[in-house]
Amino acid sequence: MGFAQAIRTCFRKYATFSGRASRPEYWYFALFVILGNFAAGILDGIVNGIMYGPGAGAPAAPLSTLFWLGTLIPGLAAAWRRMHDTGRSGLYVLYPLLVMVGMGTFMAFAAGLVPVLGDQAAGVATGATMILMGLAMVVLLLSPILVIWWLTRPGQPGRNRYGPNPQEAA
C-alpha cells in the first residue's frame, strides 16, 4: 500500500473502528497528518501573521484547527484498526488518556484528604502521595511510548478475532 492509497483508505473508512489496518496504512496516514498539520500551520502563519514577543498571544489558526478536526476521527479509527491487526483491543490506543484521567482523579482525591487528616498524618499522606505521583508520572511518560511500540508491531498472520489479515486480503 502506497502513500496516496493509504490516505484514500483511511478517509474511505472515516469512522470504521472494526477490522484491521496494515502498518503502511496507519503509518502513511500518520505521516499525512503530520505533514498536513505542518503545511496548515505555515498557511495560518502566512494568512494571519505570526506574532512574537510578550503580549503577542496565541495566533489564530483556523486552517490548522479545521485540518485537525477533519483528520481526528479517521486517525483514531486507523489506530484502532491497527491495534486490531496486532491482536489487541482498540481501547489500548486510549491508554495514555486513561492514565492522565487516573492521575487527575488521584490528585483531586489526595488534595481533598490532606485537610481532613491531622498535621502529622497529613505529612505521612503527603509523602506517600508524592511517591505515588512520581510513579504515576513515570507511567504517564512511558504509556505513549508503549502505545507507539504496539502500533509498530507486525500484524498477526492469518485471521484473528478482528478479521482477516489486511496484507493477505489485498
Side-chain angles (χ1 to χ4, degrees), residues 23 27 82 85-86 88 148-156:
R23 278 191 284 189
W27 287 108
R82 180 73 202 116
D85 192 41
T86 65
R88 292 173 181 82
I148 290 170
W149 184 74
W150 284 333
L151 291 170
T152 62
R153 304 313 316 143
Q156 288 183 329

Side-chain angles (χ1 to χ4, degrees), residues 7 9 14 28 38 47-48 67 71-72 80 82 96 101 105 107 113 115 118-119 122 129 134 140 162 169:
I7 295 166
T9 300
Y14 195 87
Y28 279 139
F38 184 72
V47 171
N48 299 314
F67 185 82
T71 57
L72 176 67
W80 202 275
R82 180 73 202 116
V101 169
T105 303
M107 286 175 32
L113 248 177
D119 286 337
T129 301
L140 179 64
Y162 299 107

Side-chain angles (χ1 to χ4, degrees), residues 49-69:
I50 300 174
M51 302 181 302
Y52 294 105
L63 296 175
S64 296
T65 303
L66 287 174
F67 185 82
W68 178 79
L69 286 173

Side-chain angles (χ1 to χ4, degrees), residues 11-161:
F11 278 120
R12 191 171 29 94
K13 297 179 178 182
Y14 195 87
T16 303
F17 288 82
S18 60
R20 294 167 66 171
S22 64
R23 278 191 284 189
E25 178 184 337
Y26 173 74
W27 287 108
Y28 279 139
F29 190 74
L31 177 63
F32 165 73
V33 169
I34 291 167
L35 294 175
N37 276 321
F38 184 72
I42 289 173
L43 288 173
D44 277 331
I46 292 169
V47 171
N48 299 314
I50 300 174
M51 302 181 302
Y52 294 105
L63 296 175
S64 296
T65 303
L66 287 174
F67 185 82
W68 178 79
L69 286 173
T71 57
L72 176 67
I73 300 295
L76 184 60
W80 202 275
R81 292 191 313 270
R82 180 73 202 116
M83 282 292 187
H84 285 175
D85 192 41
T86 65
R88 292 173 181 82
S89 169
L91 287 171
Y92 282 98
V93 170
L94 303 177
Y95 180 61
L97 181 64
L98 178 67
V99 171
M100 284 188 275
V101 169
M103 277 185 61
T105 303
F106 177 74
M107 286 175 32
F109 177 73
L113 248 177
V114 171
V116 174
L117 302 172
D119 286 337
Q120 194 170 22
V124 171
T126 303
T129 301
M130 294 307 287
I131 291 170
L132 288 173
M133 287 308 298
L135 292 172
M137 286 300 289
V138 169
V139 171
L140 179 64
L141 293 173
L142 292 178
S143 63
I145 295 168
L146 180 62
V147 170
I148 290 170
W149 184 74
W150 284 333
L151 291 170
T152 62
R153 304 313 316 143
Q156 288 183 329
R159 185 174 186 81
N160 69 11
R161 65 182 179 188

